[in-house]
Amino acid sequence: MPAEPQQTHVASQWPVESPLLACRFDPAGRFIFASCEDNSIQRFDLATGKPLALKAHESWVNGFGFTPDGQTMVSGGCDGRLIWWPVAGDAPVPIRTVEAHQGWIRALAVSPDGKLVATGGNDKVLRLWNLADGTLVREFPGHESHIYSVLFHPTGQFLLTGELKGHVRQWDVATGAAVRTFDAKALWSYNGGQGVDFGGVRALAISADGQQFACGGLHNASNPLGAVHDPLVMLFEWESQKLVQSLIAEPLKGAVWRLIFLPDGTLLGASGGSTGGHLVFWNASQNKDIHRFQLPNIVRDLDLHPDGIQVATTHHDKHLRISRMASKPA
Amino acid sequence: MRCNYACQSSEHLLARRNFLGQLAAGAGALGGVSLLARPAASAELAKQQKRILVFNMHGGLSQLESWDPKPATNTGGPFRAIPSSVPGLHVSELLPNTAKLMHHLAVIRGVNTAEDDHGKGAYMMLTGRRQTPASDYPQLGAVMAKALTPETSTLPGHIVITPGGGGGRSNDAAYLGPKYASVVLGNGNPPQNTARPGDVTDAVDAARNQFRKMADDKFLSRRRTAKTDLYTYSYEQAQQLMLQRDVFDVSKESEKDAERYGKHDLGRHCLLARRLLEQGITFVQVSHSNYDTHNENFNFHLEQMAEFDQSFAAIVGDIADRGMLDSTLIVVLSEFGRTPNINLYYGRDHWSRAWSVVAGGAGIQRGAVYGKTNDNGTEVTDGQVNCGDLFHTYLRAVGLDSSGSFDIGGRPMLMADPATAPIRAILS
């Protein structure tokens, strides 16, 4: 069943005791894992909405990945650690812990074949790990600022990393070589008065056919310390690196925290800022959004269920919400 | 009539007498001579002059991301705490270099100033008093300059280094008068208008100054007042600044030190601060901007504290290594702290009810921890202090009687708020 963005509505909302951060569905679509400001990971059973706390990280968790069989989850946190967990069970405990980065792991991605997990963070190094045993496969030094986002190309041949200063680097997975750089500097700003770099490539997405590549974040940062900025997505043609569209969502304020291409090519973004939390839909033919859906609270991350219809979002108001891009049941 | 407007307090007279006595023993004038370049005996004498280095963390430094971390709590945020060189004392992991030097410093964790406005908070922390429409008080730098700067000094006693633009003289000395107002070094640049125009030769400059002095002397022989003396002082200081412009030229410091302090503005400003303190300037304030992180507090503290940690640790280490710690008071303050609550933009807002100040050197106990907040940092639970207590403590730490007063036109003006008191537990 194709998604119907115009019919999007909140189907469920589940409370926890702490504001929520990142989230991902497991490959079987049975659970959704979400991180909290109290350092816990909450595993929500999608059938019941019941949360179960997984506690081992000493800081906030920014990313999740899964083995292809759906049996194991790996989480990456601001403590620089990768921790492997069983997905199911009544009391999951860590299987393996790897001290992976100096400082935060900001982003994590699993390769299309499910053999590798890539991590990037504040030590400016992209690292590639064997998902089965946690051994380090390769390091990719070269970034000049914090790595904010990581993504595999659908072929598995390339890795993409987005950094604070608006460079998106393409890496050859097999050799570690830097291939080319996408210019997304519109997503970065330096405010001399406040003395801060701001923005960064917060989100990366590539279409299933590999022809379109999108990176998201914010621009027009007239007051970074005061949260005055607008969401922005830059849509590129993959082969030529030509900028196809700069996608905006006026008059929303805030940033794009996650991007996902829906199967029909529609681009779905999570936007959160002073105008609230929104699911925003764009296509390549126009720079303004084709639809937006306002959520009850600011949104910090989203993920798409394997069914292509359900969207999970994390919120500051201590709720995980499941929205459905389909008509409400009669 | 004899002018009698200088400070006649016992503290000032004592400090000046000690200092001048030591000068008479053969130290020579301080101005323009590097401490490191002095003979050992002279360096020892110069160490007796107290100096003050203040870091003003503009905008409101988060106590939770610096001196009072609360990891693994609902307010703690993503950063962990790390052990310091003082057993049992942990600081934020954003301060790895500073953590190694905490045995030189003291942490005051029970600060409650009950003022969440930027301007009023800054006023309180720099004057030790709550701002009222009816009165104005001198800032710490002016007080220290007045009380401690030798009359023989040819350099200003009150320097403020700001991150951006600006320059000139500020109006922060209140009733102490413009002589003690700060000279602002905008972005660490030398004082404004201290470079002589290129087309004015030495001979022309000397001739015009001679003529000006002759006219001044003639006028002053009949009409000398406090204001004319201040005019004369200002002119003479301007001349001294022009002659000693190199004092403010941080490029004279080594490339190795520039690298060690950091190739960013704060690194350059801290290296300049070290240079100024070594030249005998009494009070140097360095501002670091900006900590007003209502949005993305953690990303911005990551960025700002990385700079601060490198530069602050470098200058604290140098002050200690060069034998200046006993004579130099170091203070890290802000106008308030930040809310334990993390807002919906990953930000922290203004919070003055439970935050931290760090002090060290001079008469501050090394490695002390004073005051305590509750588990999630929302309230002070022990050792609560306010801005006046801190102000008294700074004065005591450099050997001044903080209950003393300045004689301003025959009227005694108390140096610090009499309703508050020094934190004796951290004074050695």
Side-chain angles (χ1 to χ4, degrees), chain B residues 252-265:
Chain B
K252 304 288 184 190
E253 300 293 332
S254 74
E255 179 61 24
K256 187 179 172 186
D257 278 354
E259 191 73 40
R260 197 161 53 84
Y261 273 64
K263 291 284 193 176
H264 38 71
D265 288 347

Side-chain angles (χ1 to χ4, degrees), chain A residues 109-275:
Chain A
V110 172
S111 61
D113 65 4
K115 293 180 178 174
L116 301 167
V117 58
T119 55
N122 289 352
D123 58 7
K124 306 172 189 174
V125 180
L126 169 67
R127 291 191 174 88
L128 202 56
W129 310 87
N130 186 319
L131 185 54
D133 61 16
T135 54
L136 180 65
V137 175
R138 187 163 292 112
E139 290 186 329
F140 304 70
H143 271 287
E144 293 172 359
S145 60
H146 297 166
I147 296 173
Y148 273 36
S149 46
V150 176
L151 180 74
F152 275 94
H153 187 271
T155 62
Q157 186 184 352
F158 302 115
L159 259 169
L160 294 157
T161 48
E163 64 169 29
L164 167 61
K165 293 195 175 176
H167 299 107
V168 178
R169 298 188 193 279
Q170 181 184 341
W171 309 88
D172 187 291
V173 172
T175 66
V179 179
R180 58 181 180 166
T181 300
F182 287 79
D183 180 359
K185 285 199 286 292
L187 299 173
W188 162 72
S189 63
Y190 178 76
N191 186 303
Q194 298 181 344
V196 292
D197 288 294
F198 185 48
V201 182
R202 307 288 173 102
L204 293 172
I206 192 160
S207 59
D209 61 6
Q211 296 302 306
Q212 289 189 322
F213 164 64
C215 48
L218 59 93
H219 72 146
N220 294 337
S222 58
N223 179 7
L225 301 181
V228 182
H229 48 267
D230 305 335
L232 176 68
V233 176
M234 301 176 74
L235 185 64
F236 294 90
E237 194 176 79
W238 172 256
E239 285 299 331
S240 68
Q241 291 189 290
K242 181 185 170 190
L243 181 66
V244 180
Q245 286 285 5
S246 290
L247 304 171
I248 58 174
E250 291 176 336
L252 297 188
K253 305 301 257 183
V256 171
W257 297 96
R258 182 98 199 276
L259 287 168
I260 293 175
F261 278 97
L262 301 179
D264 68 353
T266 300
L267 190 59
L268 166 62
S271 170
S274 58
T275 49

